[in-house]
């Protein structure tokens, strides 16, 4: 495991451009049912983030998140829900970055290429072991369309359900909000910000492998997650 604080100047990040949406996109590309679903999502997000952000910001993040998933999703019926979940995460991150949040729990971001295997297993272990004492997110440099079935099965053997997770991209505010960024094989595609703590976990890619091959990767991820939690002084649930 490599633990480093990276002081290189980060390459420009283009994943938070949420200004190219609104009315024309909604009018031309969304069905009435999709508009209704997203309107309900916006109302729920507004209840959660009204103290931090105005309606325009919340809706912009929601619709931008929707468009990101719409480009690759194979389950369009779930798009509004996925967009809401991702927008919630992004708004929470932005609130922390802009000092509009009172949540001082440590935040860890797990990044890999497709956000379908390694980073999702790490997220599953971290969330299960840390409970509500810390926050974990995950993302990919080239997000896939579904979670690796072998990763789902291997984690289920440990009593952790990651089947409801979904591959998603990293965004600038999410990276900036993280206290620790753990990278797993995304190389130069992983975002770099000056002064942020990075760890690079060299792990085999579970893509295309059966459960038997994924189990050793899973176990190594658990070991590293437990070590990271200990370093962060976060008690584990078990």
């Amino acid at each position: 495991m490599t633990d480093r604080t990276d002081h290189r100047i980060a390459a420009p990040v283009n994943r938070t451009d949420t200004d190219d949406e609104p009315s024309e996109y909604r009018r031309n590309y969304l069905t009435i049912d999709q508009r209704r679903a997203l309107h309900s999502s916006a109302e729920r997000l507004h209840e959660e983030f009204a103290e931090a952000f105005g309606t325009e910001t919340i809706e912009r993040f929601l619709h931008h998140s929707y468009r990101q998933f719409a480009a690759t999703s194979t389950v369009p019926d779930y798009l509004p829900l996925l967009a809401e979940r991702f927008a919630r995460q992004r708004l929470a991150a932005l609130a922390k970055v802009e000092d509009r949040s009172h949540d001082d729990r440590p935040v860890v971001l797990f990044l890999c290429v497709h956000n379908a295997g390694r980073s999702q297993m790490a997220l599953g272990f971290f969330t299960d072991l840390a409970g509500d004492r810390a926050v974990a997110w995950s993302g990919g440099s080239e997000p896939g369309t579904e979670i690796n079935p072998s990763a789902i099965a291997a984690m289920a053997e440990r009593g952790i359900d990651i089947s409801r997770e979904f591959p998603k991209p990293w965004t600038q505010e999410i990276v900036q909000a993280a206290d620790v960024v753990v990278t797993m094989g995304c190389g130069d595609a992983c975002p770099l910000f000056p002064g942020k703590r990075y760890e690079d976990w060299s792990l085999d890619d579970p893509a295309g492998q059966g459960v038997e091959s994924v189990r050793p990767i899973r176990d190594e991820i658990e070991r590293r997650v437990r070590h990271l939690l200990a370093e962060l002084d976060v008690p584990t649930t078990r």
Side-chain angles (χ1 to χ4, degrees):
M1 176 176 66
T2 301
D3 184 356
R4 69 184 190 278
T5 299
D6 203 305
H7 296 282
R8 288 176 286 175
I9 299 299
V13 177
N14 298 314
R15 295 181 181 265
T16 54
D17 182 6
T18 58
D19 299 325
D20 57 349
E21 326 258 341
S23 57
E24 182 178 353
Y25 164 71
R26 301 178 200 182
R27 183 172 58 250
N28 295 338
Y29 296 98
L30 297 181
T31 67
I32 292 176
D33 287 343
Q34 289 169 331
R35 293 179 199 175
R36 287 173 177 167
L38 287 171
H39 178 72
S40 297
S41 294
E43 288 183 333
R44 286 190 290 270
L45 291 171
H46 189 267
E47 289 179 0
E48 296 178 44
F49 294 99
E51 293 185 4
F53 304 110
T55 300
E56 182 180 347
T57 298
I58 291 170
E59 290 193 358
R60 191 167 69 244
F61 271 78
L62 175 62
H63 283 268
H64 184 262
S65 297
Y66 182 93
R67 287 207 307 167
Q68 286 184 296
F69 292 119
T72 58
S73 176
T74 58
V75 284
D77 290 346
Y78 293 99
L79 279 174
L81 175 61
L82 297 183
E84 179 182 340
R85 290 174 61 186
F86 192 42
R88 179 176 289 107
Q89 178 176 311
R90 296 180 64 187
L91 289 165
L94 185 62
K96 181 175 181 180
V97 170
E98 296 187 350
D99 200 24
R100 304 187 187 196
S101 171
H102 303 294
D103 190 348
D104 59 357
R105 294 176 296 173
V107 177
V108 175
L109 174 62
F110 297 103
L111 296 176
C112 65
V113 179
H114 302 302
N115 192 216
R118 290 166 291 186
S119 56
Q120 292 287 359
M121 288 191 284
L123 173 65
F125 275 122
F126 192 100
T127 302
D128 179 71
L129 293 170
D132 61 0
R133 301 179 183 91
V135 177
W137 299 322
S138 69
S141 55
E142 300 176 15
T145 58
E146 63 179 5
I147 304 300
N148 185 328
S150 295
I152 292 175
M155 293 297 287
E157 293 177 347
R158 303 302 299 273
I160 300 174
D161 181 11
I162 63 171
S163 64
R164 299 180 63 186
E165 291 298 329
F166 54 99
K168 48 198 171 296
W170 55 266
T171 65
Q172 181 171 325
E173 68 278 349
I174 287 175
V175 180
Q176 289 179 315
D179 298 298
V180 182
V181 178
V182 178
T183 61
M184 307 177 192
C186 49
D188 293 339
C190 283
L192 294 173
F193 286 87
K196 186 166 293 295
R197 174 182 171 183
Y198 286 85
E199 290 192 11
D200 182 50
W201 293 0
S202 179
L203 298 161
D204 291 336
D205 189 348
Q209 300 194 47
V211 177
E212 289 188 1
S213 298
V214 172
R215 286 179 185 132
I217 303 172
R218 174 203 63 192
D219 294 344
E220 178 62 15
I221 289 173
E222 179 183 9
R223 185 189 70 79
R224 296 186 185 215
V225 167
R226 287 183 178 276
H227 181 74
L228 177 58
L229 286 167
E231 288 186 330
L232 295 174
D233 291 325
V234 176
T236 59
T237 57
R238 57 185 174 88

